Amino acid sequence: MNKIESLKSEFPDDELIIADGFDDAILGYDVDNGRIVYSISLCIEILIDNEGMNEEDALDHFYYNVKGSYIGERTPLYIH
């Protein structure tokens, strides 16, 4: 069972907002606010390794397009 499937089975009543392509960067789940928690450094590594970006492009893309996106009160948390 992958991390997303595990979270869905553990919290079946919660509406999970998932950052596509970053499953391996999931650290956990904020039960109080119903938000998935992601590692910023792992997200950057994924962009570099899987998308072929250099570090500067990966940082720009992450902070503008991923972390900078607000999808509502359950928008994922990104932490260092």
Side-chain angles (χ1 to χ4, degrees):
M1 180 179 302
N2 68 33
K3 293 177 183 180
I4 296 298
E5 291 170 348
S6 177
L7 287 172
K8 285 181 178 180
S9 69
E10 192 170 344
F11 305 100
D13 296 331
D14 289 359
E15 178 186 337
L16 302 177
I17 296 180
I18 300 159
D20 291 335
F22 296 104
D23 294 2
D24 290 336
I26 293 174
L27 297 176
Y29 186 68
D30 176 7
V31 178
D32 294 330
N33 297 302
R35 298 164 68 173
I36 297 175
V37 180
Y38 290 88
S39 163
I40 291 173
S41 60
L42 291 176
C43 288
I44 301 302
E45 284 181 32
I46 289 169
L47 290 171
I48 292 169
D49 295 342
N50 297 352
E51 302 298 324
M53 296 182 185
N54 63 39
E55 185 175 4
E56 183 178 347
D57 289 342
L59 287 166
D60 287 344
H61 177 81
F62 174 78
Y63 281 103
Y64 185 78
N65 296 303
V66 180
K67 188 174 185 312
S69 296
Y70 179 76
I71 312 167
E73 64 185 32
R74 291 184 185 250
T75 297
L77 296 172
Y78 301 95
I79 64 171
H80 284 281

